[in-house]
Amino acid sequence: MKIRHIFLPLAALLLLSSASCSVKKPKAEEERETWLHSLNDSIAKYRAEVEETSAALHVSQTEVGDMISKFEHVANPRHVEGYYIYQGWKNRYPLQQTGVVARITDDERFELIAVLSGGNFNQIAVSGGSGSAATKVVPHDQALNYRAGSLNTVCFYGAVADSVGMYIADNMSHNLTVAYMNNGSKTSSFKLPSDEKEMIAATYKLYAAQKTTHQLERKLPMLAKKIDTCRKMLESLDSVAKTQN
């Protein structure tokens, strides 16, 4: 019986030898390494965000410091809390004629106080620039909407009042008109004087800058917590790996 010999090429033998010596990593090990890389990438990303946020916070705090120097603080015993009002307006408020004033309360709330002489209203709208903006209706209650003599005074605050302040700040170069409305019907209107536009715009900008500052201040500890969480997860994975070895 003739024996047939099969000869494999040298390259094929080397390939088989290499395959027999290589050990494929377990799937769990591969997933662990991928997870480690993702955690390290997350830490690097959060650290970069911390640097960016810290720089933005410094800029915002500087802006607030510059702006607030143009405001006066008023602590009137007749009011529940104090407020900040634009320079030159401390002695002009409360208004004794038709007009609008903006102020920021001690708890940093933006307020618009509108006054109408010789008529009643519960809402204002501002137009003349790009689009328009209006407050919500504030019913007559002798608290936020009160009457004394010929004057009707209404205090507006909240997100919608903020939008009116922003509208005025964004449209300073336009001739703006304030319309006084009572249950949807216009009762009176007037051109917003330049000094009132300047005062309202400056007040809104300070309010917006304060808001941005506080958002950045809250973001920093949140980022620090995320970094700490990633570090603890890395430590936990490292501890498990040492136990397995």
Side-chain angles (χ1 to χ4, degrees):
M1 181 177 176
K2 189 174 181 180
I3 299 175
R4 298 176 65 186
H5 295 280
I6 300 174
F7 296 96
L8 293 173
L10 180 59
L13 288 171
L14 289 173
L15 183 61
L16 288 171
S17 175
S18 174
S20 62
C21 292
S22 65
V23 179
K24 187 177 179 181
K25 288 184 180 179
K27 186 177 180 180
E29 180 65 20
E30 291 181 352
E31 290 177 348
R32 179 179 176 278
E33 287 186 359
T34 301
W35 184 233
L36 285 172
H37 283 305
S38 70
L39 287 174
N40 281 313
D41 288 344
S42 294
I43 289 174
K45 184 187 77 170
Y46 294 142
R47 281 176 174 167
E49 282 190 57
V50 166
E51 291 183 6
E52 292 173 3
T53 303
S54 296
L57 177 59
H58 176 71
V59 171
S60 186
Q61 288 173 330
T62 301
E63 287 179 351
V64 169
D66 291 341
M67 290 180 186
I68 207 166
S69 64
K70 297 178 182 178
F71 285 76
E72 296 179 87
H73 184 261
V74 179
N76 193 323
R78 293 181 297 174
H79 298 284
V80 177
E81 61 179 328
Y83 56 87
Y84 289 86
I85 195 164
Y86 194 54
Q87 60 186 5
W89 282 85
K90 180 179 178 180
N91 296 324
R92 297 172 64 180
Y93 176 77
L95 294 177
Q96 299 301 314
Q97 59 187 9
T98 298
V100 183
V101 172
R103 67 182 187 180
I104 299 174
T105 61
D106 280 344
D107 60 358
E108 298 184 3
R109 182 174 73 183
F110 177 77
E111 293 183 341
L112 285 173
I113 297 90
V115 175
L116 177 62
S117 177
N120 298 325
F121 73 106
N122 52 26
Q123 182 183 22
I124 61 170
V126 185
S127 61
S130 177
S132 62
T135 66
K136 287 184 176 180
V137 170
V138 176
H140 172 57
D141 59 1
Q142 286 301 114
L144 295 176
N145 182 338
Y146 57 95
R147 298 165 189 169
S150 63
L151 298 179
N152 187 177
T153 302
V154 184
C155 176
F156 301 98
Y157 66 90
V160 180
D162 294 352
S163 69
V164 175
M166 181 170 64
Y167 177 86
I168 294 171
D170 290 344
N171 292 277
M172 280 282 290
S173 61
H174 297 276
N175 291 320
L176 302 180
T177 298
V178 178
Y180 290 81
M181 295 177 289
N182 199 32
N183 298 323
S185 299
K186 188 169 77 170
T187 60
S188 184
S189 66
F190 82 110
K191 294 290 184 182
L192 193 63
S194 297
D195 58 346
E196 288 190 26
K197 277 197 298 185
E198 179 187 346
M199 172 264 300
I200 295 170
T203 305
Y204 176 77
K205 287 177 181 178
L206 172 59
Y207 162 77
Q210 288 176 324
K211 197 172 181 180
T212 296
T213 297
H214 295 318
Q215 288 172 343
L216 293 170
E217 287 172 342
R218 288 192 295 269
K219 188 176 180 180
L220 283 175
M222 288 173 61
L223 290 171
K225 187 175 181 180
K226 288 180 179 180
I227 292 172
D228 187 53
T229 299
C230 288
R231 282 176 175 166
K232 286 180 179 177
M233 293 174 75
L234 282 171
E235 290 171 1
S236 177
L237 288 170
D238 186 54
S239 177
V240 170
K242 287 180 179 178
T243 302
Q244 291 175 344
N245 294 333

